[in-house]
Amino acid sequence: MQTVSQNKSHGGTQGVYRHPSRETKTDMTFSVFVPEHAADTKLPVVTYLSGLTCTHANVTEKGEFRQACAELGLIFVAPDTSPRGEGVPGDPANSYDFGLGAGFYIDATEQPFATNYRMWSYVTEELPKLIAAQFPVDTTRQSILGHSMGGHGALTIALRHPDRYRAASAFAPIVAPSQVPWGNKALGGYLGSNKQAWRKHDAVALIEDGARFSDLLVDYGDADGFLTEQLRPELLKAACEKANIPLTLRRQPGYDHSYYFISTFMADHLRWHAARLKA
């Protein structure tokens, strides 16, 4: 693991790191904030998954999470959204919603993407093991959150690993990718035409198929331009109500899809996670 940069912030250390990934066959960059802590102390860890077009840098620079993490004693991990580098295939039409910056947190089975686009295994297996080996993490206290495409990733990962993550939340998540254009393009391109395989990467479908989680927190802005066509939070609400999964679904008046929205409610989400991580 190579240290790209380290800066002191709120008494802790904000670092950016790079390593050769076994899963993606590329170098992967991620950021980690470690708050000030006593020697030999293990801290709970929150993993944040970013949205379309993002890298680790978007939330690291705009997310405004460090003060809350320092106060709450939380390690904050932010991976990239896709493999990158020479020879990694992108969208044939160079669109923003597939390929580079748009890994959708799944393991692709379709060529030419299957070799590198293994973001599910990267964020659920490879990166957590690396973080646990290199940072003072209490692996029994993990949680996950994300934004948009990353909200989709956080919800599906939590629903499929309910014993690993003590909390899960999302900002403006894509809750039912099988039913919206972004998801149809991504799931079809990475996984092919077998829509049964798509259901493992669709939060609403997972709940319909029996997946459960203790409780979920979701915020969205009612001025989000993607709300009606791509996000459709009402589908998650209906699925959770039918399955008796406690869902706190908050409509935030006037907020859009940007990091102005995310940063406004980030500390609130982190306090919600901390209450469950420290219970």
Side-chain angles (χ1 to χ4, degrees):
M1 188 181 77
Q2 173 191 353
T3 299
V4 177
S5 65
Q6 285 185 331
N7 299 92
K8 186 168 184 176
S9 180
H10 294 280
T13 300
Q14 177 63 66
V16 176
Y17 309 92
R18 184 182 298 119
H19 74 111
S21 168
R22 178 187 69 250
E23 292 293 346
T24 68
K25 311 293 191 294
T26 66
D27 283 352
M28 294 294 289
T29 303
F30 61 93
S31 76
V32 181
F33 176 72
V34 180
E36 190 174 20
H37 60 284
D40 301 322
T41 302
K42 297 286 189 180
L43 301 175
V45 58
V46 179
T47 298
Y48 175 91
L49 304 182
S50 294
L52 290 165
T53 76
C54 291
T55 69
H56 71 283
N58 298 71
V59 70
T60 306
E61 296 168 3
K62 303 177 190 175
E64 300 183 21
F65 56 85
R66 278 173 287 271
Q67 182 173 351
C69 284
E71 292 171 357
L72 297 165
L74 303 176
I75 291 176
F76 190 97
V77 177
D80 202 346
T81 55
S82 79
R84 300 177 195 272
E86 188 176 348
V88 176
D91 184 82
N94 293 317
S95 179
Y96 75 94
D97 57 2
F98 188 78
L100 299 176
F104 258 81
Y105 306 102
I106 63 181
D107 289 346
T109 56
E110 296 295 297
Q111 295 299 342
F113 306 103
T115 299
N116 304 116
Y117 284 80
R118 295 186 51 80
M119 291 303 295
W120 177 272
S121 291
Y122 179 72
V123 298
T124 64
E125 298 297 335
E126 183 177 10
L127 184 60
K129 289 175 182 175
L130 177 65
I131 297 295
Q134 298 286 342
F135 299 93
V137 166
D138 180 351
T139 57
T140 68
R141 295 187 290 162
Q142 298 185 58
S143 71
I144 192 163
L145 75 159
H147 168 235
S148 193
M149 176 185 73
H152 137 78
L155 293 175
T156 56
I157 288 169
L159 285 164
R160 286 174 58 182
H161 295 283
D163 297 330
R164 182 189 301 184
Y165 299 97
R166 293 198 188 183
S169 71
F171 302 101
I174 306 167
V175 303
S178 300
Q179 301 184 52
V180 301
W182 276 344
N184 271 262
K185 181 175 181 179
L187 298 179
Y190 293 132
L191 300 177
S193 59
N194 178 10
K195 293 193 174 183
Q196 195 60 34
W198 297 12
R199 296 184 71 82
K200 294 193 302 180
H201 295 286
D202 181 310
V204 168
L206 281 166
I207 292 168
E208 290 173 351
D209 293 344
R212 296 293 182 265
F213 200 74
S214 55
D215 61 339
L216 301 169
L217 170 63
V218 171
D219 276 312
Y220 67 93
D222 68 4
D224 190 321
F226 301 112
L227 188 62
T228 303
E229 185 179 27
Q230 305 284 10
L231 307 181
R232 303 191 64 187
E234 73 279 1
L235 297 177
L236 181 66
K237 180 182 180 183
C240 286
E241 285 177 351
K242 189 173 182 180
N244 293 315
I245 297 173
L247 168 67
T248 302
L249 180 63
R250 304 190 301 196
R251 170 184 173 273
Q252 304 295 358
Y255 284 91
D256 59 18
H257 201 67
S258 71
Y259 269 89
Y260 296 107
F261 158 61
I262 297 164
S263 63
T264 299
F265 300 100
M266 177 66 83
D268 198 31
H269 277 240
L270 290 171
R271 285 189 290 269
W272 191 86
H273 281 252
R276 287 149 181 79
L277 288 166
K278 298 181 178 184

